[in-house]
Amino acid sequence: MTPTAAAAPVETEVAIRHSTDQRAYRVSAIDMVRGLVIVIMALDHVRDFTMIGTEQDPMTNPHITAALFFTRWITHFCAPVFVLLAGTSAGLMTARKSRHALARFLISRAVWLLFIEVFVLSNLGTFSPQGIPQMGGSVLVTMQVIWAIGASMLALAVMQYLGRRVCLIVGIAIIVSHNLLDPVWPANALLEERPLWVALHAQMSHHAGPFLFAFVYPVLPWIGVMLLGFGVSELFELPPARRKVLLLRAGLALTAVFVLLRAADVYGDPNRWQLQPGSVMGTVIDFLNTTKYPPSLLFLLMTLGPAAVLCALAEQWSGTVKNVLVTFGRVPFAFYVPHFLVIHLMAIFLGVAQGFDARQFLTIFFFFPTGYGVGLPGVYALWAVVIIVLYPFCRWMAAVKARRRDWWLSYV
């Protein structure tokens, strides 16, 4: 191996069709894992829009089946991994951007994401830009994962001046300690009017003129995850063999800590677990049912530990499946925005086919008509349709980003 090859911070990228990605800073393991979680995220949204008897969160149902539980549970990995890798990608930018340039990029990116969340994604989710009758005519603005990433980027734009090590320490401190607020912070009440500061650590709503802002993702813990990702980005500048070992060790250690802390049940999640008499599966479900809103310490250990292991193993994977996931992972934003449009349109077509009026689906999915929807196998089938429909567009966009360096491509 030549000295240049030994010092190279990242491995050669997987080819996208007949194009080669000229952006040498890309790490295919990151792109693969990001692609996997963005595809799995779509499953959760397809379930929201098309499953019969849709619930806000089926994991709050004590009679949930194992199949539905694990369909929802696997999607828990999406937001933590996506936010962490957003921070990691920002950390890798320090090799080619000054701190001032990185701050400008993060701020402009955050403003763009917040704009998309408020004016595009919320409308794609409801198709009701003039208000939802079931909500008193208010225009619903759902502040979800894109809001969490945007707000976290604003925090990172400031914190990155202190360096990656400091961000790592602060990120860990936030993740470990934020559950101390559980006994004193206002509890989750998604549609209850509260002051804006409550959204740091609890779900709540806030009216602003005709708009009802529903803060689904309390942002404080996500800032911690973003800072953690920025801090650990140094791992991805190491030679692949060394990086793999460290990721495996970290992932296994985090997973072990989750099991130990969850078993002890003394700190790290407000949702306690208990043995379910006569039901091993019920006990397993209760054990794994950690809190996502806001993401508890145990929730993040449960998801980020296995994700680190997966990221380590992704280094050595190859083949069609990896190529497809890398394609999605290189253009997650280009997948994320239109997938809401595709899913909502699919829900309307499904509803009309089942005898409902299309106008009944011009609202948030909570208010879709009783009796509408398909079972879990149908959800998986429709999920596959979404992936197949969007793959050609994502492949084209990934190829464009691979061969061109236009400034605007960083925002799609």
Side-chain angles (χ1 to χ4, degrees):
M1 181 179 292
T2 65
T4 301
V10 298
E11 71 275 18
T12 303
E13 288 296 64
V14 179
I16 301 181
R17 194 76 173 164
H18 300 297
S19 299
T20 301
D21 197 331
Q22 301 301 316
R23 299 171 297 165
Y25 55 87
R26 302 298 303 194
V27 180
S28 65
I30 289 179
D31 286 333
M32 176 189 162
V33 174
R34 184 188 284 117
L36 178 61
V37 299
I38 197 72
V39 166
I40 293 174
M41 184 181 291
L43 172 61
D44 201 35
H45 298 151
V46 171
R47 179 191 59 78
D48 282 338
F49 278 82
T50 66
M51 188 169 182
I52 191 166
T54 297
E55 300 174 73
Q56 180 180 347
D57 188 349
M59 296 180 78
T60 61
N61 180 356
H63 305 295
I64 190 173
T65 64
L68 181 53
F69 175 85
F70 285 105
T71 297
R72 169 62 171 162
W73 180 80
I74 194 66
T75 65
H76 279 350
F77 286 79
C78 301
V81 173
F82 208 70
V83 176
L84 182 88
L85 293 183
T88 300
S89 296
L92 293 175
M93 290 180 187
T94 60
R96 66 186 195 279
K97 289 182 182 287
S98 68
R99 289 180 175 176
H100 291 315
L102 181 57
R104 287 194 296 271
F105 173 79
L106 289 171
I107 292 171
S108 62
R109 176 77 171 184
V111 171
W112 170 241
L113 290 177
L114 293 173
F115 172 84
I116 292 296
E117 183 78 284
V118 172
F119 295 103
V120 178
L121 291 174
S122 292
N123 284 318
L124 290 180
T126 65
F127 285 180
S128 298
Q130 295 183 330
I132 298 177
Q134 298 95 328
M135 306 187 77
S138 295
V139 178
L140 180 63
V141 179
T142 51
M143 308 296 279
Q144 301 193 76
V145 68
I146 298 300
W147 132 259
I149 293 174
S152 298
M153 281 184 172
L154 290 177
L156 179 59
V158 176
M159 291 296 300
Q160 55 96 19
Y161 281 99
L162 302 178
R164 287 188 283 189
R165 296 293 174 87
V166 173
C167 287
L168 177 63
I169 293 170
V170 174
I172 292 174
I174 292 174
I175 291 170
V176 171
S177 65
H178 82 88
N179 283 115
L180 294 172
L181 296 172
D182 293 342
V184 297
W185 203 270
N188 279 343
L190 182 56
L191 296 181
E192 183 174 318
E193 184 83 10
R194 285 178 171 174
L196 282 173
W197 60 267
V198 175
L200 286 171
H201 199 255
Q203 292 181 326
M204 47 77 68
S205 293
H206 185 81
H207 275 92
F211 299 99
L212 174 62
F213 289 84
F215 290 87
V216 181
Y217 276 62
V219 75
L220 177 61
W222 297 113
I223 291 174
V225 175
M226 179 77 73
L227 294 175
L228 174 66
F230 187 80
V232 302
S233 63
E234 294 184 59
L235 280 176
F236 293 91
E237 296 172 341
L238 298 174
R242 179 60 175 160
R243 179 166 70 233
K244 177 182 176 181
V245 170
L246 292 177
L247 284 171
L248 275 174
R249 289 177 179 175
L252 293 173
L254 291 174
T255 304
V257 172
F258 161 69
V259 173
L260 293 173
L261 285 180
R262 186 60 168 162
D265 204 20
V266 294
Y267 177 74
D269 198 289
N271 182 31
R272 314 298 288 270
W273 72 279
Q274 58 186 355
L275 292 171
Q276 303 297 315
S279 177
V280 174
M281 182 55 66
T283 299
V284 171
I285 287 175
D286 202 16
F287 189 88
L288 294 176
N289 191 14
T290 54
T291 303
K292 181 179 180 180
Y293 308 106
S296 67
L297 167 62
L298 294 183
F299 177 92
L300 293 172
L301 290 172
M302 178 184 73
T303 52
L304 294 180
V309 173
L310 177 61
C311 205
L313 298 177
E315 302 277 4
Q316 62 196 46
W317 290 357
S318 61
T320 302
V321 173
K322 180 175 182 177
N323 290 353
V324 170
L325 292 176
V326 167
T327 297
F328 283 123
R330 285 177 175 165
V331 290
F333 191 74
F335 175 91
Y336 188 85
V337 174
H339 98 286
F340 274 107
L341 174 62
V342 172
I343 292 172
H344 203 156
L345 287 174
M346 190 166 57
I348 293 176
F349 291 139
L350 177 61
V352 171
Q354 292 183 338
F356 297 97
D357 190 314
R359 289 171 295 183
Q360 293 179 274
F361 298 88
L362 304 183
T363 183
I364 189 69
F365 63 85
F366 297 150
F367 302 121
F368 284 178
T370 302
Y372 155 80
V374 295
L376 197 56
V379 168
Y380 276 89
L382 292 172
W383 173 52
V385 171
V386 173
I387 303 306
I388 292 169
V389 167
L390 288 176
Y391 179 69
F393 171 70
C394 291
R395 183 179 60 182
W396 172 78
M397 180 57 70
V400 171
K401 295 185 76 170
R403 67 176 182 265
R404 296 176 58 173
R405 297 177 180 271
D406 305 61
W407 66 269
W408 59 269
L409 289 172
S410 295
Y411 296 84
V412 297

